[in-house]
Amino acid sequence: NPNSVHPRFGFIAAKTVGGAVVRNRVRRRLKAASFSVLSSVPAGAEIVVRAQPAAATASFSTLLADVNAAVVRAQSLADRS
C-alpha cells in the first residue's frame, strides 16, 4: 500500500536455500539487516528480498551489505520512474 507510513519488507527463502531451520535463520538475519537500513528507505516503500542459496552460509556483514545494495538499487529504479 503506497499510502502506508512505514516501509515494508518481504522475504522469500525457497527450499533451495536449505531446510526449514536454515531458511528461517536466513529470514531472521535478513529481517535484522533490513532494520539496520530502515532509516534510508523512503516511507511507503515495499521491498521484497529473495534469498539465494549462498545466503545460508553468508556472514551477517555480507547480508547487510547485500540488503543495503538492494535498497540503493531500488531507490535508483524508483527515481527513474
Side-chain angles (χ1 to χ4, degrees):
N1 181 4
N3 296 328
S4 175
V5 175
H6 302 289
R8 297 186 331 166
F9 283 83
F11 304 98
I12 300 169
K15 287 185 178 181
T16 56
V17 173
V21 172
V22 173
R23 290 194 314 271
N24 286 328
R25 182 175 53 235
V26 167
R27 257 191 236 110
R28 286 192 309 270
R29 294 173 80 207
L30 288 170
K31 185 176 180 180
S34 70
F35 277 120
S36 297
V37 300
L38 195 57
S39 61
S40 64
V41 180
E46 295 178 339
I47 297 176
V48 177
V49 178
R50 182 176 180 265
Q52 298 294 316
T57 57
S59 68
F60 182 75
S61 60
T62 301
L63 291 177
L64 181 59
D66 289 346
V67 169
N68 194 29
V71 167
V72 168
R73 185 165 189 272
Q75 286 176 337
S76 69
L77 290 173
D79 291 343
R80 285 190 214 166
S81 34

